[in-house]
Amino acid sequence: MTKDVMVYIAGTQFNDLNPQDEAIELVTRGTYYKKNNKHYVIYDELIEGINGVTKNTIKFDEDMFLLSRSGAINTTMLFEENKRNTTNYKTPFGNIVIGLDASNIDVHEEDDEIKVNVDYSIDANFEFLADCKIALKIQQASR
């Protein structure tokens, strides 16, 4: 895999209050590298309604998926299969305690593409919000 990559991220929430799935998709250029059997992806994101850029770093392997965000939004979200983790999600609108309980992390690696799927539930301030999925695809960028 080359250093310059295209990053495709789709996040979906499923809950009883909203019959339609809430999906967020992002396609952007990023940087990829692998160190000590861990994969790293770095990319910048502009978020609608929030001033400034958020720098994102994703670190993952077969057992964990870590999303660190800094800038307009600041948080570190750790997903470990069959383990609950909490984090303080800092936004321009205030802080929220987020609970993450990952039930599945699946990594599929090929020469020019890596796919990661994370299934998890999320709660805010200890109230269940939704069951969620993250689908990450990293591909070599076209020149």
Side-chain angles (χ1 to χ4, degrees):
M1 176 85 64
T2 62
K3 181 179 176 181
D4 296 323
V5 294
M6 291 301 298
V7 180
Y8 304 86
I9 299 176
T12 309
Q13 291 186 355
F14 310 90
N15 64 37
D16 294 336
L17 299 176
N18 186 358
Q20 294 184 328
D21 305 336
E22 290 185 34
I24 299 170
E25 295 184 1
L26 172 71
V27 178
T28 189
R29 291 181 92 77
T31 302
Y32 166 83
Y33 65 94
K34 188 173 182 178
K35 182 178 179 182
N36 297 327
N37 290 324
K38 305 273 190 227
H39 302 269
Y40 294 83
V41 180
I42 301 167
Y43 62 93
D44 291 337
E45 180 180 6
L46 293 171
I47 300 171
E48 187 176 328
I50 298 176
N51 291 331
V53 174
T54 299
K55 183 171 202 63
N56 296 279
T57 301
I58 296 174
K59 175 182 174 183
F60 65 91
D61 64 16
E62 295 290 332
D63 300 316
M64 68 81 136
F65 184 92
L66 178 77
L67 171 61
S68 296
R69 306 178 89 187
S70 62
I73 292 179
N74 296 288
T75 191
T76 299
M77 299 170 71
L78 175 61
F79 302 88
E80 295 175 291
E81 199 167 293
N82 299 315
K83 186 174 178 185
R84 184 176 190 279
N85 292 291
T86 58
T87 189
N88 192 17
Y89 198 87
K90 299 175 186 175
T91 74
F93 310 108
N95 297 341
I96 305 168
V97 175
I98 299 289
L100 305 165
D101 189 1
S103 59
N104 182 56
I105 299 172
D106 182 47
V107 178
H108 181 75
E109 185 176 357
E110 296 182 13
D111 290 339
D112 60 352
E113 180 178 274
I114 300 171
K115 292 181 180 178
V116 182
N117 291 295
V118 180
D119 299 323
Y120 66 99
S121 63
I122 188 170
D123 61 73
N125 298 322
F126 306 100
E127 283 285 326
F128 173 80
L129 289 179
D131 290 316
C132 306
K133 291 182 180 279
I134 296 172
L136 169 68
K137 182 168 70 170
I138 309 156
Q139 288 183 321
Q140 291 182 181
S142 303
R143 299 194 189 255

